[in-house]
């Protein structure tokens, strides 16, 4: 699991309110002594969030050319959003005869391929996890694009 995943980045952006309580406090004391604290996002996390947003806006996962798929997987990897295994799963050619001018529905194709592969027992636990992580990242990327 990638520590810098998009779901982690979105949670960091929201200020948090904390309530400090002690065992000897009454409920009224707790209400009167509530403490507000802001969470700061680091410059690196801010840049990662911007990079995630940029990647999401550039790629339509339901209508994407093969060379764009490989660029997407490379950008996600270089941005620290996926590991090498996920990069290879996402960026793999759709077939031996992939046409350069043919668009793909990357996300749905990956989901369909995963279902077929698991129904035939074609995934070991390691490749299963990598493929599911890749699908999860692409799903979150699509959700970011649609916001």
């Amino acid at each position: 699991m990638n520590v810098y995943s998009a779901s982690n980045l979105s949670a960091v952006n929201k200020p948090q309110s904390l309530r400090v309580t002690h065992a000897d406090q009454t409920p009224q004391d707790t209400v009167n002594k509530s403490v507000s604290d802001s969470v700061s996002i680091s410059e690196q996390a801010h840049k990662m969030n911007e990079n995630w947003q940029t990647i999401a806006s550039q790629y339509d996962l339901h209508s994407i050319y093969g060379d764009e798929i490989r660029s997407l997987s490379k950008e996600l990897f270089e941005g620290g959003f996926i590991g090498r295994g996920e990069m290879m799963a996402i960026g793999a050619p759709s077939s031996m005869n992939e046409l350069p001018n043919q668009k793909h529905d990357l996300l749905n194709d990956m989901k369909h391929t995963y279902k077929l592969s698991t129904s035939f027992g074609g995934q070991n636990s390691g490749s299963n996890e990598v493929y599911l992580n890749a699908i999860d990242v692409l799903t979150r990327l699509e959700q970011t694009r649609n916001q």
Side-chain angles (χ1 to χ4, degrees):
M1 179 79 176
N2 195 332
V3 177
Y4 299 110
S5 70
S7 61
N8 292 340
L9 291 175
S10 63
V12 175
N13 289 322
K14 298 180 177 112
Q16 303 294 316
S17 178
L18 302 175
R19 186 170 300 246
V20 178
T21 61
H22 299 282
D24 59 342
Q25 287 182 323
T26 66
Q28 186 60 38
D29 289 337
T30 303
V31 171
N32 293 335
K33 293 184 180 181
S34 105
V35 176
S36 196
D37 191 16
S38 294
V39 176
S40 298
I41 184 169
S42 71
E43 185 62 30
Q44 180 183 7
H46 182 68
K47 286 182 180 183
M48 286 187 73
N49 189 34
E50 285 180 359
N51 190 23
W52 177 261
Q53 297 289 333
T54 300
I55 293 169
S57 68
Q58 288 178 337
Y59 297 99
D60 179 354
L61 301 180
H62 298 289
S63 181
I64 186 168
Y65 293 109
D67 60 340
E68 292 175 320
I69 293 171
R70 283 170 278 295
S71 293
L72 167 65
S73 68
K74 182 179 177 187
E75 285 183 52
L76 289 170
F77 176 73
E78 289 176 350
F81 300 108
I82 59 174
R84 193 171 309 280
E86 289 85 2
M87 179 182 70
M88 295 178 77
I90 293 169
S94 61
S95 73
M96 295 292 289
N97 302 318
E98 183 179 82
L99 301 173
N101 59 347
Q102 180 183 4
K103 288 202 173 195
H104 304 275
D105 184 344
L106 175 62
L107 183 54
N108 287 326
D109 288 351
M110 287 191 71
K111 288 176 181 179
H112 180 72
T113 299
Y114 176 76
K115 286 180 187 175
L116 283 176
S117 181
T118 55
S119 70
F120 293 120
Q123 299 271 3
N124 65 36
S125 64
S127 63
N128 186 43
E129 183 178 344
V130 165
Y131 216 82
L132 284 175
N133 286 343
I135 290 170
D136 181 57
V137 168
L138 292 177
T139 300
R140 287 184 279 121
L141 194 66
E142 177 186 41
Q143 290 168 345
T144 300
R145 179 180 172 88
N146 293 332
Q147 290 179 347

